[in-house]
Amino acid sequence: MLEIVRPADSGYSELQHVYSRAGHPAAVYLPRSASEVAEAVSRVHDSGRPLAVRSGGHGISSVATNDGGDVIDLRNLSSVNYLGGHSVRIGPGARWGQVARELYSNGLALSSGDSGDVGVGGLATTGGIGLMGRAHGLTIDRLRRAELVTADGSVRLVSEEESTDLFWAVRGAGANVGIVTSFEFEAAATPIVIQLTAMYQPGDMARFLRAWGATVEEAPNEVSAFLYTGGGPTPFAQATIVYAGDDVDAARPHIESFLQLPGLAGQRALVTPYAAVPLTSGQPHTGQQTAGTHTGLATHVDDALSERIAELLRGGGADMVQIRSVGGAINDVSASATAYAHRHQNFSVTAVATAPGDHFDSAWEPVHQLMDGMYLSFESNHNAEHLLEAFPAETLSRLRQIKARWDPEDIFNQNFDVTPK
């Protein structure tokens, strides 16, 4: 029987919020199978209330809860099953830390971001910018098949041979066309990696950022690198660099190139299971994170962009700027192959403010002007105008045709809805 938790029920307080937003939904559905997800979709349709879909992770974009609506929470669909070879089947309610640990036992890994607390469902339908992305592509690039509940309550298998339009859409805009109840991935045989953690105190942040960008672009695809920078009276930067493999001699010159950057203040390198790389806390979600984020994609960290990011930090417009590497194998995929069409950029740039507002918005704008596309999961402002940044015109047109066919009543409308308003 489909479990439904309402405000008066015990356990409701543990379900109403996500990490980045407090919510008060009228009902939280906890399905344990695809058929129960289909039943929940039917009930939501009959209720006429807003719908939020949640895989049970961070919900960092804040759309996985609501006030007065319904939430379909997929945390009970959390199995990780090894299918043989490099194939794995994963439920949307699993979290990536759990996935990494279970894949490691089979000598496998999937690139999936820098946090093990993130749920599989949201990341695996939006993109998945991870710490082996330049080696293995986005998480969606490893997806081979999915089970999907559509707005009419049907349960469908989607792949390159089955319901191909849905399979195209679910890889980058999945929240628009249905609820994935299981994913089949082709994992990589990279269970062991070389990880460098480096700390910097740049005297000239703009100069440091230019050097950082050049170093990332010059590195081979085996190297992926995430940088976290902060401003204030003592600017700092901390980096996580991952070499996808355990060949220390092959990795050494590329790891050392990051140690030559200006302002190095400390470093630690180790050979480690990939499962130890995504940071995992397991903390409950109580709406505790009030920060706001703005984001965009960039082809290069050039003079203009590095200067504007440095000014954003120097002027206190943002508390942190994160620069994640993309490119490499991500860009080996055709821009038309998936609904995620950004296949020429080399960096994802995200600004974070603990007290977002007009000041943060205006301070971000000079950086925003230099952006070339957007990765939706890192943007907390759900302005409809951002759709054209997330989906180029041709991609958006195709998405809207698929959306009109499979969700004509626009039931799935809370997470960057592509339906024209």
Side-chain angles (χ1 to χ4, degrees):
M1 178 181 295
L2 176 62
E3 183 180 1
I4 307 172
V5 180
R6 297 183 172 87
D9 296 332
S10 62
Y12 176 80
S13 62
E14 299 175 6
L15 299 170
Q16 66 186 104
H17 309 301
V18 291
Y19 181 69
S20 56
R21 179 187 169 190
H24 200 273
V28 179
Y29 296 86
L30 295 168
R32 296 182 178 275
S33 65
S35 61
E36 287 194 351
V37 172
E39 180 185 347
V41 169
S42 177
R43 287 174 176 263
V44 168
H45 177 269
D46 293 343
S47 79
R49 295 190 292 257
L51 168 65
V53 180
R54 164 195 309 167
S55 64
H58 270 136
I60 196 70
S61 61
S62 78
V63 296
T65 190
N66 57 37
D67 294 316
D70 294 317
V71 172
I72 298 179
D73 187 310
L74 304 171
R75 68 184 62 202
N76 291 324
L77 300 176
S78 60
S79 61
V80 180
N81 297 312
Y82 176 56
L83 303 179
H86 288 186
S87 296
V88 294
R89 181 184 295 118
I90 302 174
R95 297 192 188 184
W96 285 109
Q98 167 200 351
V99 171
R101 292 189 298 272
E102 297 200 29
L103 292 187
Y104 176 71
S105 66
N106 291 294
L108 300 172
L110 276 170
S111 182
S112 58
D114 55 354
S115 171
D117 292 325
V118 171
V120 167
L123 182 145
T125 55
T126 308
I129 296 174
L131 277 163
M132 291 195 294
R134 296 181 79 243
H136 300 311
L138 298 171
T139 306
I140 61 170
D141 297 335
R142 312 294 297 193
L143 182 62
R144 299 295 177 259
R145 199 181 199 196
E147 182 183 72
L148 180 73
V149 174
T150 49
D152 62 358
S154 299
V155 181
R156 301 178 183 276
L157 294 177
V158 302
S159 68
E160 293 287 6
E161 292 79 36
E162 309 154 286
S163 299
T164 56
D165 57 342
L166 286 172
F167 187 57
W168 177 86
V170 84
R171 290 173 293 164
N176 276 274
V177 296
I179 301 174
V180 176
T181 51
S182 74
F183 299 87
E184 290 185 20
F185 292 102
E186 181 183 350
T190 318
I192 304 294
V193 300
I194 297 167
Q195 179 182 0
L196 169 67
T197 302
M199 286 70 69
Y200 305 90
Q201 292 182 334
D204 182 333
M205 181 64 79
R207 173 172 169 261
F208 170 80
L209 292 175
R210 286 192 297 272
W212 170 267
T215 302
V216 171
E217 289 195 55
E218 291 166 3
N221 284 6
E222 286 83 1
V223 175
S224 298
F226 287 9
L227 181 72
Y228 311 88
T229 64
T234 307
F236 72 91
Q238 179 170 321
T240 298
I241 299 102
V242 170
Y243 181 92
D246 58 1
D247 188 333
V248 174
D249 290 336
R252 180 175 287 110
H254 311 299
I255 293 295
E256 289 180 349
S257 66
F258 288 92
L259 302 179
Q260 304 305 313
L261 294 173
L264 181 70
Q267 59 88 18
R268 184 183 70 157
L270 68 162
V271 180
T272 183
Y274 175 74
V277 173
L279 299 176
T280 305
S281 70
Q283 292 182 345
H285 301 321
T286 59
Q288 68 266 39
Q289 175 56 264
T290 60
T293 57
H294 289 315
T295 194
L297 297 165
T299 304
H300 307 292
V301 182
D302 57 15
D303 289 349
L305 180 56
S306 59
E307 290 286 353
R308 293 191 187 186
I309 293 174
E311 177 56 33
L312 176 65
L313 291 167
R314 186 165 51 245
D319 298 293
M320 178 185 293
V321 174
Q322 304 168 351
I323 303 178
R324 295 172 168 88
S325 64
V326 285
I330 294 170
N331 291 358
D332 291 339
V333 177
S334 168
S336 63
T338 65
Y340 182 96
H342 301 298
R343 302 293 186 167
H344 66 271
Q345 300 91 335
N346 290 304
F347 300 96
S348 167
V349 180
T350 302
V352 182
T354 54
D358 292 343
H359 175 63
F360 179 44
D361 296 344
S362 60
W364 166 251
E365 189 54 32
V367 178
H368 183 208
Q369 291 170 1
L370 299 179
M371 295 293 96
D372 178 21
M374 177 186 290
Y375 177 61
L376 289 177
S377 288
F378 295 155
E379 177 60 54
S380 59
N381 183 347
H382 303 138
N383 190 322
E385 295 176 1
H386 287 157
L387 285 176
L388 280 174
E389 297 180 58
F391 304 112
E394 185 175 344
T395 302
L396 183 57
S397 176
R398 184 176 176 184
L399 268 175
R400 284 175 166 166
Q401 293 174 28
I402 296 170
K403 173 81 166 176
R405 177 185 177 190
W406 291 104
D407 186 15
E409 296 182 60
D410 199 19
I411 292 173
F412 304 117
N413 62 11
Q414 196 160 358
N415 192 359
F416 289 98
D417 182 20
V418 301
T419 302
K421 296 296 186 290

